[in-house]
Amino acid sequence: MSLLNKLRMLDAQAARPAPATPVPAKALYHGSSSVPLSTFCDRRHATPEVLASAFGLPQAPRLGPEDVLFLDTETTGLSGGVGTVAFLVGLGYFTPQGFTVEQFLMHDYPQEPELLSRVSAILRRYPALCTFNGRTFDVPLLEARLTMNRLPRQCFPPLHLDVLFPSRRLWKLRLKSCTLGNLEERLLHISREDDLPGAQVPALYFQYLKDGDFAPLERVLEHNRQDIVSLAQLFYFLCYQVNRPEAIAHGEDLLSLARAMEKRGYLPKAMKCYRLCAKGATRAPAYNALAQNAKRQGNVQAAVRLYQAMARRGDDPVEAYEALAKLYEHRLSDPGQALHYTRQALLLLSEPGLFRSEAVQNRQIALQYRYARLRRRLSSAPKR
């Protein structure tokens, strides 16, 4: 290179403008809002007995409203995975003045350690955590991100109350869909206006990383805030329903609660719920459950009366006749009466209008075997 060209290059470098002062990064977003206590139902129903029976806890501590922290996250993906990050974490808790919602949002990925540290500090202050599907999504995701950022994972409260699972046990029979949005609309009568669908949340955050326009994220923040408020409302409404089954208006919910309590071993409450829903469309399964419990308790005559009432009213009469046949054959040693009830069940199953499913056919075959066995037993018995 000639000396003239070298001088030209030096002149060009000197003419370049000095680099601009780097723009300081935005601080981690931290927002706070408050909801009045009148928004929530009576919080005294969250007793240790209710928490143990509703959430399947072997032993539940006594928790005041100020002991429970409510958590919900907004993430860059809805299916989890290694690359999924919780860019927004919302936390809700009760104070004597009201219900406070704190939200932490990172403007970019380098702020993730700070976000996790701030959230961890709050998590450590509470003995109980309440989420909606957090046991399988939110908490494992946060634990993974803490590990990735070399932060301690031992920040979560020792007791985790996931509202999704008891909600399904209590309301799925009637409502079918147990998403938080459907539960808050059908049970809490909350109708969100211009709510952001959860599936659109990741795309809005990625768009913000590109253009820096924070306005669309305001909808994400409002969506997250309402999720946390609804979660707290649903938690205490669930406790109220479990503690006061006589206040439940729908028979399907009472039947579901009875089955859940029976499965967990809370028989007095289960029997109370069965008696409360022994009417309308839930009368047949309620009577059947009461009869089975009477049979297990050794009260055969009570079971017989319940099954006879089912048959008389036409509430699942095949089930009632078959159960009566078994009771008279094995418990009351009356094969003649057992044969009579077996015949009644077979007559109902042979009606031409009945749908001939495989289950019906198998049941008919089993009753035919019972009928033939009872006939042989009666024919071989010595005549008096």
Side-chain angles (χ1 to χ4, degrees):
M1 182 182 295
S2 65
L3 179 60
L4 181 59
N5 288 335
K6 289 181 179 180
L7 291 173
R8 287 174 179 171
M9 289 180 61
L10 291 173
D11 291 339
Q13 291 177 1
R16 290 177 182 173
T21 304
V23 178
K26 296 180 181 179
L28 179 72
Y29 175 89
H30 176 215
S32 180
S33 59
S34 182
V35 179
L37 294 177
S38 58
T39 308
F40 305 88
C41 66
D42 192 345
R43 295 169 294 160
R44 293 175 295 179
H45 293 284
T47 64
E49 295 76 18
V50 168
L51 295 178
S53 60
F55 292 91
L57 305 173
Q59 187 176 2
R62 184 168 297 278
L63 296 173
E66 292 80 12
D67 296 325
V68 183
L69 180 68
F70 299 88
L71 179 144
D72 184 58
T73 64
E74 304 300 333
T75 63
T76 57
L78 302 178
S79 59
V82 178
T84 304
V85 174
F87 67 88
L88 168 61
V89 179
L91 302 169
Y93 51 85
F94 285 96
T95 67
Q97 292 74 35
F99 184 74
T100 299
V101 177
E102 287 195 61
Q103 294 172 295
F104 298 92
L105 183 146
M106 60 185 194
H107 294 284
D108 208 341
Y109 289 98
Q111 291 183 332
E112 185 183 20
E114 182 184 358
L115 180 145
L116 294 172
S117 298
R118 299 280 295 274
V119 171
S120 299
I122 298 177
L123 285 168
R124 290 190 182 93
R125 303 203 302 256
Y126 288 85
L129 177 68
C130 182
T131 64
F132 192 86
N133 197 30
R135 188 177 298 278
T136 58
F137 185 77
D138 300 82
V139 170
L141 174 63
L142 290 174
E143 287 179 336
R145 299 313 304 174
L146 287 166
T147 301
M148 293 290 290
N149 287 274
R150 299 183 179 182
L151 294 171
R153 297 173 46 174
Q154 294 74 26
C155 59
F156 292 93
L159 180 60
H160 187 176
L161 305 169
D162 194 328
V163 179
L164 172 62
F165 304 103
S167 296
R168 284 176 176 169
R169 284 189 289 269
L170 183 53
W171 294 305
K172 188 173 183 178
L173 180 64
R174 177 170 65 94
L175 301 181
K176 305 304 185 279
S177 172
C178 285
T179 63
L180 182 59
N182 191 48
L183 292 176
E184 71 175 9
E185 182 178 351
R186 300 287 298 277
L187 301 175
L188 306 176
H189 308 293
I190 297 174
S191 181
R192 302 195 190 188
E193 297 182 1
D194 192 30
D195 182 49
L196 176 69
Q200 298 181 15
V201 169
L204 286 180
Y205 183 68
F206 290 135
Q207 186 63 36
Y208 168 71
L209 294 179
K210 292 180 181 178
D211 58 24
D213 184 8
F214 193 80
L217 290 188
E218 296 286 353
R219 295 182 65 195
V220 178
L221 288 166
E222 177 57 26
H223 173 84
N224 177 259
R225 190 195 71 86
Q226 184 58 58
D227 278 353
I228 296 170
V229 175
S230 295
L231 171 61
Q233 289 177 306
L234 184 64
F235 170 74
Y236 285 105
F237 181 74
L238 173 72
C239 293
Y240 167 70
Q241 297 257 285
V242 173
N243 195 39
R244 296 284 303 278
E246 62 273 9
I248 297 178
H250 299 277
E252 297 94 330
D253 298 347
L254 273 168
L255 182 63
S256 299
L257 179 60
R259 288 170 173 171
M261 294 299 103
E262 184 178 16
K263 186 176 181 180
R264 296 199 183 283
Y266 295 89
L267 289 181
K269 177 166 282 189
M271 295 305 110
K272 177 182 179 180
C273 294
Y274 281 130
R275 287 190 291 270
L276 287 170
C277 69
K279 55 187 176 181
T282 57
R283 185 173 62 187
Y287 264 72
N288 191 15
L290 289 169
Q292 289 182 12
N293 181 71
K295 185 169 57 175
R296 284 192 296 267
Q297 300 295 327
N299 194 345
V300 178
Q301 292 301 329
V304 168
R305 288 193 295 270
L306 287 164
Y307 283 127
Q308 286 175 340
M310 288 178 60
R312 188 167 56 250
R313 293 167 174 168
D315 296 336
D316 199 356
V318 175
E319 173 69 25
Y321 284 134
E322 186 176 7
L324 285 167
K326 292 177 182 178
L327 284 173
Y328 273 98
E329 180 182 4
H330 301 297
R331 296 291 186 92
L332 299 174
S333 300
D334 189 342
Q337 196 68 12
L339 182 67
H340 165 72
Y341 285 122
T342 304
R343 184 187 295 114
Q344 294 297 106
L346 281 170
L347 286 173
L348 288 174
L349 284 176
S350 62
E351 290 181 358
L354 196 64
F355 176 64
R356 309 299 297 175
S357 66
E358 184 178 354
V360 171
Q361 293 177 9
N362 292 336
R363 193 171 199 177
Q364 188 174 32
I365 292 171
L367 284 168
Q368 288 171 347
Y369 277 119
R370 180 179 298 277
Y371 186 82
R373 186 181 68 250
L374 289 168
R375 286 288 301 270
R376 289 194 302 269
R377 180 177 174 183
L378 286 171
S379 62
S380 62
K383 296 182 179 180
R384 296 183 180 177

